[in-house]
Amino acid sequence: MNKLIPYGLHEINEDDIREVTKILKTNSITQGPTVELFAKKIANYVGAKYAVAVSSGSAALHLAVASLDLKKGDEVITTPITFCATSNVVLYQGADIKLVDIDEKTLNIDPTQVEKAITSRTKAIIPVDFRGYPANLYQIHKIAKKYNLKVIEDGSHSIGSSYKIKNKKYMCGDCLHADICTFSFHPVKHITTGEGGVVLTNDEKIYKKIMKLRKHGVDRRSDMFDKNKRIGNWYYDMEDLGYNYRLTDFQAALGISQLKRLNKFIKRRRQIVNYYNSSFKDIEFIKTYNELKNIKSNYHLYVISVLKNKNFDRYDLFNYLQSKKFAPMIHYIPIHYLSYYKKKYNFKKNNFPISEEYYNGCISLPLYPSLSDKDVQRVVNTIKNFIKKFN
Ligand SMILES: *Cc1c(COP(=O)(O)O)cnc(C)c1O
């Protein structure tokens, strides 16, 4: 009997287990030195100056947005094709989202549309590196400079992805075309800490603010102590309204151990993608998405589109795959289709036609480092058998 093959899966090995166990036997199990070491290693990996490791990718996004002091009436531009955490964090701060459509080739937010959507209320842009494919950060950064906006890169999918501009290589997360970038370490992402995330920046002020917001906005500094007033170094103050977004040391130990295998993971994912791409190349009505020349994606997801035709649609293929013991997924239900957002902003069908057309046809196929050649072959054969039924 074939086992169920999901669309994504984490990989935990004996090294991971040993590293986590080591920390569990020490006196520091919640946020401590291992969390800071993990953050430093992530910063070094992507080439950013500062990193703050936190309890989830959503927490990372929330702290990123919170560090910008958004208020009611402010607007943040983002994409409909993302997980709802991206837009939710903007609402947590009392600001509004403004969606703009995607580019049909990259499936990422379209910089031209971004520029058209800017108003006097716009304060920031959150591009998402959807499926690991870097958003057009170079163009978005240029637009942000022109209109004095902040850029938060939602890099939940894109640790290890890079792009070239004028022959210079940029890593997602290096924050050279963004003020802040966030990663997620949820088990479905490239490397995992169970739950976890990180905020990256090159801006010392933002870094310090996020460090403080991660621990309730509470700080203790020598300038708060006063011998004359009999205030000793027990004293602390709460200067901003913050949160408990701490990661634990044993999670960070898992992250450090996983990070050692990240490049290997990416290499395997890219192998599988190459095989998929060449296998589906000549199948009518199945569209694949290739990289532009200057892009190197880590391939968080492998999405295909079922193009409109009179024989079958995405619903048929999805159910067929399920019946053959695969667990494909749809990434994503567009933000403006979700009831909460539809009601709040009165979104209508056809507001974002490219996102909607993409959504109508998309399926994410199995893609993860431990997927065997045999299983990859089985995915390809299953899709070919499905297509054969209509010939
Ligand atoms: C996973 C994800 C998040 C949230 O990360 P969590 O670690 O699950 O909180 C945010 N945005 C995108 C695009 C994601 O895929």
Side-chain angles (χ1 to χ4, degrees):
M1 210 37 213
N2 286 324
K3 61 181 192 302
L4 182 80
I5 298 180
Y7 78 92
L9 188 66
H10 59 275
E11 184 207 283
I12 303 288
N13 71 8
E14 289 304 318
D15 290 342
D16 294 337
I17 293 167
R18 190 172 349 99
E19 293 304 315
V20 173
T21 310
K22 240 194 250 168
I23 297 296
L24 288 173
K25 290 174 180 165
T26 69
N27 284 339
S28 176
I29 61 168
T30 188
Q31 185 180 292
T34 315
V35 168
E36 299 320 317
L37 182 63
F38 176 48
K40 193 169 249 150
K41 283 180 185 288
I42 296 288
N44 287 344
Y45 180 82
V46 298
K49 236 174 168 165
Y50 306 104
V52 185
V54 296
S55 54
S56 71
S58 305
L61 277 170
H62 187 194
L63 292 182
V65 171
S67 76
L68 301 185
D69 290 321
L70 296 175
K71 51 189 185 310
K72 207 173 152 56
D74 291 345
E75 265 176 8
V76 176
I77 294 175
T78 193
T79 166
I81 301 298
T82 187
F83 183 57
C84 57
T86 315
S87 48
N88 288 354
V89 298
V90 174
L91 305 197
Y92 294 167
Q93 295 308 109
D96 280 308
I97 57 154
K98 184 154 196 183
L99 297 178
V100 313
D101 214 345
I102 57 170
D103 174 274
E104 64 183 347
K105 283 200 185 68
T106 66
L107 306 178
N108 283 323
I109 198 165
D110 179 350
T112 322
Q113 303 258 12
V114 168
E115 185 157 15
K116 283 188 202 146
I118 293 169
T119 69
S120 58
R121 294 172 60 193
T122 311
K123 292 286 152 35
I125 308 165
I126 310 184
V128 177
D129 303 320
F130 173 56
R131 72 206 162 97
Y133 196 103
N136 194 336
L137 296 164
Y138 178 72
Q139 287 301 334
I140 289 167
H141 176 71
K142 260 210 225 166
I143 294 166
K145 279 269 160 301
K146 184 168 158 192
Y147 295 93
N148 196 24
L149 308 175
K150 295 285 187 204
V151 177
I152 298 172
E153 175 185 5
D154 182 345
S156 296
H157 298 179
S158 65
I159 186 169
S161 295
S162 62
Y163 56 98
K164 276 187 178 165
I165 303 287
K166 294 177 189 137
N167 262 324
K168 180 173 158 44
K169 181 179 157 185
Y170 295 86
M171 293 287 287
C172 287
D174 65 15
C175 295
L176 292 172
H177 295 134
D179 297 276
I180 306 175
C181 175
T182 66
F183 291 152
S184 161
F185 305 120
H186 181 275
V188 86
K189 311 292 160 73
H190 281 68
I191 59 169
T192 189
T193 56
E195 295 283 347
V198 71
V199 193
L200 297 145
T201 184
N202 293 328
D203 183 322
E204 190 182 6
K205 253 169 74 188
I206 291 177
Y207 166 67
K208 285 191 165 156
K209 178 140 195 200
I210 288 174
M211 283 293 269
K212 209 193 310 179
L213 290 175
R214 176 177 66 170
K215 45 170 183 161
H216 301 282
V218 163
D219 205 8
R220 172 183 283 147
R221 296 184 305 266
S222 56
D223 64 276
M224 295 171 181
F225 316 145
D226 191 335
K227 207 162 132 194
N228 297 328
K229 291 186 185 150
R230 316 298 294 159
I231 297 173
N233 63 6
W234 68 78
Y235 197 75
Y236 61 82
D237 194 10
M238 192 192 110
E239 298 166 315
D240 294 298
L241 183 59
Y243 313 87
N244 172 4
Y245 281 161
R246 285 189 288 262
L247 190 71
T248 68
D249 265 7
F250 56 94
Q251 290 175 296
L254 178 57
I256 291 170
S257 182
Q258 291 251 311
L259 184 60
K260 292 182 188 154
R261 304 203 297 291
L262 175 58
N263 288 341
K264 214 176 89 192
F265 288 166
I266 293 173
K267 207 169 148 203
R268 174 63 183 154
R269 284 172 179 269
R270 291 183 59 86
Q271 249 176 11
I272 297 171
V273 167
N274 282 335
Y275 184 73
Y276 275 156
N277 279 345
S278 59
S279 305
F280 300 142
K281 206 171 56 198
D282 300 318
I283 300 186
E284 210 182 0
F285 306 125
I286 298 288
K287 178 178 173 181
T288 60
Y289 295 87
N290 294 315
E291 284 171 331
L292 292 175
K293 266 210 311 283
N294 68 327
I295 299 286
K296 190 158 181 206
S297 173
N298 65 1
Y299 282 106
H300 168 56
L301 298 171
Y302 186 77
V303 298
I304 57 167
S305 289
V306 177
L307 300 180
K308 246 199 170 119
N309 70 83
K310 56 185 194 324
N311 291 326
F312 60 87
D313 63 8
R314 184 264 304 277
Y315 186 89
D316 298 318
L317 179 56
F318 191 92
N319 286 344
Y320 185 78
L321 287 166
Q322 270 188 337
S323 75
K324 301 295 177 191
K325 298 207 73 175
F326 295 100
M329 189 62 118
I330 302 304
H331 295 95
Y332 289 97
I333 318 293
I335 296 296
H336 65 291
Y337 277 13
L338 302 173
S339 293
Y340 180 86
Y341 283 100
K342 210 156 77 186
K343 243 185 278 168
K344 184 173 170 71
Y345 292 109
N346 199 21
F347 286 126
K348 296 272 185 298
K349 242 193 158 48
N350 254 327
N351 277 164
F352 308 103
I354 301 170
S355 297
E356 291 170 33
E357 193 184 333
Y358 162 72
Y359 164 66
N360 287 335
C362 70
I363 298 187
S364 301
L365 298 181
L367 179 60
Y368 49 90
S370 62
L371 193 66
S372 69
D373 287 350
K374 214 172 118 229
D375 289 340
V376 176
Q377 188 63 55
R378 196 156 80 76
V379 176
V380 169
N381 290 344
T382 306
I383 291 183
K384 287 189 171 166
N385 287 339
F386 170 79
I387 301 290
K388 255 191 226 143
K389 296 201 303 172
F390 304 98
N391 289 336

